[in-house]
Amino acid sequence: MKRTLIHNATLINEGTRKQGSLVIADGNIAEILTEGRPLSAPCDETIDATGCYLLPGVIDDHVHFRDPGLTHKADIFSESRAAAAGGVTSIMDMPNTNPPTTTLEALEQKQALLAEKCIVNYSCYFGATNSNYTLFPRLDKTRVCGIKLFMGSSTGNMLVDRMDSLRHIFGGTDMLIAAHCEEQEIIHRNTEKYKAAYLEEAQIPLNKHPYIRTVQACYSSSHLAVQLATEAGARLHVLHISTAKELPLFSHAPLDEHKRITAEACVAHLLFDIRDYKMLGACIKCNPAIKRQADRDALRRAVVEGQIDVIATDHAPHLLTEKSGGALRAASGMPMVQFSLVSMLQLADKGIFTPELVVEKMCHAPARLFRIDRRGFIREGYHADLVLVRPHTHWQVTRDKIWSKCGWSPLESRTFDWQIEKTFVNGHVIYDHATGVDDTCRGEELRFHA
Ligand SMILES: [Zn+2]
């Protein structure tokens, strides 16, 4: 059996930072050599990691790889390559594709596509509709990461807007329900107001987006979701929290098996605020909208204090040509999976987070929350999903470095001081800064403890 030694790294794992080495054998972490522990047997290959940090690979619980049906924007192969280049070793794909993942047949088709095309590890959500909750008992809880519930419409029409359906959904499953929360009535009212105020719809400027999809729209919907989940005792994960106002709905309690209601923040809401519309315009238009600086800062604090459990990307690529037409017509969503880890480590450099906290929220927490089998931690016997990052480098995001099919990023021209050196998935090096992505291997399907 081939043994690979990652030699002399700084391991960041489970709140600690230790100098040491690690042995990969048969796709797993075979030995962790810290605190002077010697190798048990010689290795066939040594990777010198001097000066680098070794982290568990990022688990992104919220991506839209647009496959099947929207593959002019992105596909599983292209976006999993971008994930690999970003140190992301597992992804959970959303169901608003074409066809949507709302039937057992579509689910089977999505799982087959992921197996065929995804170079990182994967799972996918089953999408709720107003009427398909009768299928929930037939889902394999060890293979499907959760139920995606749109309590607010976005790309693809999967809105669940009937109260009786919502009660059936929350009362009908012990699977994790991941919810997009924005109250449709409020958005509709604001849309009509802005349409009346401008001669042409296309003239409504981008910076009105957060005044159409408002704080109140988010709060009202998140509040309802938390209320329904509490009544039913359901497991609720509210996706992409974007406002300070929603944060008191969530508990500071540590993420363990007793925490049934959890929250996600996305990289864009942690990086940008309303002032950025001036420079970046539609490139940072997403749902829920990027809001005020006070919201961004409150989200950052909530990551530290614990109301936000998970950091993900909501990686949602569109072509740049689909990004025109102002606040109402420009497509919502942006590619982010390739730069999520370096963006958050950059916030650690600014003293906002620590690298240990970034690892907790991007690697450990998704593994705990979704009860993923043997991933998300650097532990002996776990799958060797790892990322080697080099600090104190200085580089700039330019178009030629982008792996996503859409070919643009809202982070273009930004500089970073952290570089993804190597990404390991199940022990294979699938990204190397020197040589690029190796897309010959395929990821494995994530397994969940029910
Ligand atoms: Zn999303």
Side-chain angles (χ1 to χ4, degrees):
M1 192 197 303
K2 184 182 159 194
R3 286 164 53 88
T4 301
L5 179 69
I6 302 175
H7 182 249
N8 194 29
T10 303
L11 280 68
I12 299 194
N13 187 53
E14 301 187 64
T16 68
R17 191 180 293 215
K18 290 178 184 164
Q19 201 61 28
S21 302
L22 180 151
V23 179
I24 298 171
D26 203 20
N28 295 321
I29 297 168
E31 293 177 44
I32 299 169
L33 308 169
T34 53
E35 291 153 355
R37 196 178 137 196
L39 262 178
S40 72
C43 288
D44 308 285
E45 176 191 30
T46 298
I47 293 168
D48 179 20
T50 305
C52 290
Y53 287 72
L54 184 64
L55 325 178
V58 170
I59 301 173
D60 192 334
D61 76 0
H62 189 169
V63 304
H64 300 260
F65 281 1
R66 307 299 194 200
D67 209 347
L70 302 166
T71 52
H72 68 284
K73 298 175 194 279
D75 63 63
I76 291 168
F77 183 62
S78 64
E79 304 317 289
S80 64
R81 286 156 52 106
V88 177
T89 55
S90 296
I91 59 95
M92 302 183 205
D93 193 51
M94 287 296 173
N96 53 335
T97 45
N98 187 14
T101 319
T102 53
T103 63
L104 298 179
E105 297 71 36
L107 177 64
E108 226 172 89
Q109 185 194 5
K110 171 75 78 79
Q111 287 167 334
L113 276 175
L114 285 162
E116 181 195 328
K117 296 165 80 171
C118 198
I119 76 161
V120 299
N121 305 313
Y122 55 85
S123 183
C124 62
Y125 291 86
F126 186 72
T129 66
N130 272 314
S131 56
N132 71 353
Y133 47 84
T134 52
L135 296 175
F136 294 173
R138 294 170 63 190
L139 300 173
D140 183 346
K141 290 186 235 173
T142 68
R143 294 184 63 195
V144 178
C145 57
I147 309 282
K148 172 68 184 280
L149 172 62
F150 283 90
M151 290 173 68
S153 64
S154 194
T155 301
N157 185 21
M158 287 184 50
L159 181 65
V160 177
D161 54 359
R162 287 187 0 220
M163 193 52 89
D164 63 320
S165 300
L166 289 173
R167 287 193 195 284
H168 278 295
I169 290 165
F170 281 100
T173 183
D174 61 353
M175 290 178 71
L176 181 139
I177 298 167
H180 178 137
C181 293
E182 284 187 289
E183 158 77 52
Q184 212 51 35
E185 263 312 301
I186 296 174
I187 296 170
H188 179 71
R189 265 203 315 274
N190 294 331
T191 302
E192 293 308 310
K193 192 176 90 187
Y194 276 98
K195 275 185 183 170
Y198 286 81
L199 274 175
E200 276 184 58
E201 216 177 282
Q203 288 173 354
I204 305 173
L206 246 302
N207 61 8
K208 301 300 179 203
H209 186 50
Y211 299 97
I212 296 169
R213 289 180 172 260
T214 54
V215 168
Q216 189 56 36
C218 295
Y219 177 79
S220 158
S221 181
S222 293
H223 182 270
L224 175 63
V226 168
Q227 189 187 345
L228 290 170
T230 306
E231 282 168 17
R235 286 168 69 196
L236 169 68
H237 186 44
V238 183
L239 302 169
H240 42 44
I241 298 293
S242 63
T243 72
K245 187 169 177 163
E246 292 163 282
L247 293 169
L249 296 170
F250 302 96
S251 148
H252 294 92
L255 182 60
D256 60 19
E257 67 272 26
H258 304 297
K259 194 168 186 180
R260 307 281 288 180
I261 295 177
T262 54
E264 173 199 271
C266 287
V267 169
H269 295 107
L270 294 167
L271 286 185
F272 302 120
D273 63 61
I274 205 162
R275 296 167 299 175
D276 294 304
Y277 285 114
K278 196 172 171 191
M279 283 291 289
L280 296 168
C283 291
I284 57 162
K285 186 192 178 206
C286 57
N287 299 334
I290 306 281
K291 297 185 177 68
R292 299 165 308 153
Q293 188 190 353
D295 293 300
R296 186 201 69 177
D297 292 346
L299 291 173
R300 290 175 173 186
R301 276 195 304 279
V303 169
V304 176
E305 291 169 5
Q307 296 106 320
I308 298 290
D309 299 284
V310 170
I311 297 174
T313 62
D314 193 6
H315 177 80
H318 294 284
L319 299 185
L320 263 186
T321 51
E322 296 167 318
K323 281 290 200 177
S324 60
L328 283 193
R329 289 189 193 161
S332 293
M334 67 190 98
M336 197 52 94
V337 77
Q338 188 182 341
F339 305 110
S340 60
L341 178 58
V342 290
S343 293
M344 294 300 98
L345 288 171
Q346 206 68 28
L347 292 188
D349 280 348
K350 286 187 177 172
I352 294 162
F353 302 147
T354 60
E356 287 83 351
L357 184 68
V358 171
V359 167
E360 171 59 35
K361 299 293 174 176
M362 301 183 82
C363 313
H364 302 332
R368 276 198 197 102
L369 177 60
F370 289 84
R371 305 168 185 168
I372 301 173
D373 183 50
R374 292 184 299 133
R375 301 188 193 276
F377 298 87
I378 300 180
R379 290 178 183 165
E380 288 179 357
Y382 273 49
H383 299 280
D385 295 344
L386 300 161
V387 54
L388 206 51
V389 287
R390 189 178 293 283
H392 316 303
T393 52
H394 198 72
W395 62 280
Q396 188 170 38
V397 178
T398 48
R399 239 167 228 203
D400 58 299
K401 297 190 179 87
I402 295 170
W403 287 87
S404 280
K405 196 182 211 175
C406 64
W408 63 276
S409 166
L411 299 170
E412 275 170 62
S413 85
R414 276 211 185 205
T415 56
F416 288 103
D417 299 301
W418 294 82
Q419 186 165 275
I420 307 297
E421 200 64 35
K422 284 183 171 58
T423 305
F424 301 78
V425 169
N426 304 310
H428 300 286
V429 177
I430 61 159
Y431 175 77
D432 188 320
H433 177 67
T435 52
V437 174
D438 174 0
D439 52 33
T440 53
C441 289
R442 292 295 172 269
E444 293 176 6
E445 192 174 58
L446 299 177
R447 295 287 158 173
F448 307 99
H449 297 283

PDB file of all heavy atoms in Angstrom, residues 62 64 94 148 240 314, ligand 1:
ATOM      1  N   HIS A  62     -23.644  24.427   0.442  1.00  0.00           N
ATOM      2  CA  HIS A  62     -24.601  25.226  -0.336  1.00  0.00           C
ATOM      3  C   HIS A  62     -23.995  25.681  -1.663  1.00  0.00           C
ATOM      4  O   HIS A  62     -23.392  26.741  -1.755  1.00  0.00           O
ATOM      5  CB  HIS A  62     -25.002  26.443   0.513  1.00  0.00           C
ATOM      6  CG  HIS A  62     -26.129  27.234  -0.049  1.00  0.00           C
ATOM      7  ND1 HIS A  62     -26.770  28.209   0.673  1.00  0.00           N
ATOM      8  CD2 HIS A  62     -26.729  27.227  -1.259  1.00  0.00           C
ATOM      9  CE1 HIS A  62     -27.721  28.757  -0.062  1.00  0.00           C
ATOM     10  NE2 HIS A  62     -27.703  28.181  -1.244  1.00  0.00           N
ATOM     11  N   HIS A  64     -24.725  25.738  -6.127  1.00  0.00           N
ATOM     12  CA  HIS A  64     -25.619  25.519  -7.270  1.00  0.00           C
ATOM     13  C   HIS A  64     -24.718  25.255  -8.475  1.00  0.00           C
ATOM     14  O   HIS A  64     -24.186  26.191  -9.065  1.00  0.00           O
ATOM     15  CB  HIS A  64     -26.472  26.763  -7.545  1.00  0.00           C
ATOM     16  CG  HIS A  64     -27.341  27.180  -6.401  1.00  0.00           C
ATOM     17  ND1 HIS A  64     -28.679  26.874  -6.340  1.00  0.00           N
ATOM     18  CD2 HIS A  64     -27.068  27.874  -5.270  1.00  0.00           C
ATOM     19  CE1 HIS A  64     -29.198  27.385  -5.226  1.00  0.00           C
ATOM     20  NE2 HIS A  64     -28.238  27.996  -4.557  1.00  0.00           N
ATOM     21  N   MET A  94     -27.653  22.093  -4.753  1.00  0.00           N
ATOM     22  CA  MET A  94     -29.046  22.516  -4.573  1.00  0.00           C
ATOM     23  C   MET A  94     -29.940  22.020  -5.722  1.00  0.00           C
ATOM     24  O   MET A  94     -29.466  21.787  -6.829  1.00  0.00           O
ATOM     25  CB  MET A  94     -29.105  24.035  -4.466  1.00  0.00           C
ATOM     26  CG  MET A  94     -28.570  24.547  -3.137  1.00  0.00           C
ATOM     27  SD  MET A  94     -29.620  23.952  -1.786  1.00  0.00           S
ATOM     28  CE  MET A  94     -28.683  24.494  -0.348  1.00  0.00           C
ATOM     29  N   LYS A 148     -34.384  20.796   0.667  1.00  0.00           N
ATOM     30  CA  LYS A 148     -34.250  22.239   0.429  1.00  0.00           C
ATOM     31  C   LYS A 148     -35.629  22.840   0.286  1.00  0.00           C
ATOM     32  O   LYS A 148     -36.453  22.369  -0.499  1.00  0.00           O
ATOM     33  CB  LYS A 148     -33.433  22.500  -0.839  1.00  0.00           C
ATOM     34  CG  LYS A 148     -33.407  23.979  -1.287  1.00  0.00           C
ATOM     35  CD  LYS A 148     -32.622  24.869  -0.318  1.00  0.00           C
ATOM     36  CE  LYS A 148     -32.678  26.346  -0.705  1.00  0.00           C
ATOM     37  NZ  LYS A 148     -31.762  26.721  -1.755  1.00  0.00           N
ATOM     38  N   HIS A 240     -28.025  31.263   4.292  1.00  0.00           N
ATOM     39  CA  HIS A 240     -27.587  32.644   3.996  1.00  0.00           C
ATOM     40  C   HIS A 240     -28.314  33.739   4.771  1.00  0.00           C
ATOM     41  O   HIS A 240     -29.008  34.562   4.199  1.00  0.00           O
ATOM     42  CB  HIS A 240     -27.613  32.932   2.494  1.00  0.00           C
ATOM     43  CG  HIS A 240     -28.796  32.431   1.716  1.00  0.00           C
ATOM     44  ND1 HIS A 240     -30.081  32.548   2.151  1.00  0.00           N
ATOM     45  CD2 HIS A 240     -28.864  31.816   0.506  1.00  0.00           C
ATOM     46  CE1 HIS A 240     -30.893  32.028   1.249  1.00  0.00           C
ATOM     47  NE2 HIS A 240     -30.169  31.564   0.252  1.00  0.00           N
ATOM     48  N   ASP A 314     -23.082  29.544  -1.198  1.00  0.00           N
ATOM     49  CA  ASP A 314     -24.184  29.779  -2.133  1.00  0.00           C
ATOM     50  C   ASP A 314     -23.604  30.064  -3.530  1.00  0.00           C
ATOM     51  O   ASP A 314     -24.058  30.963  -4.238  1.00  0.00           O
ATOM     52  CB  ASP A 314     -25.086  30.935  -1.665  1.00  0.00           C
ATOM     53  CG  ASP A 314     -26.398  31.004  -2.435  1.00  0.00           C
ATOM     54  OD1 ASP A 314     -26.669  30.101  -3.250  1.00  0.00           O
ATOM     55  OD2 ASP A 314     -27.151  31.976  -2.220  1.00  0.00           O
TER      56      ASP A 314
HETATM   57 ZN    ZN B   1     -28.604  29.108  -2.839  1.00  0.00          ZN
END
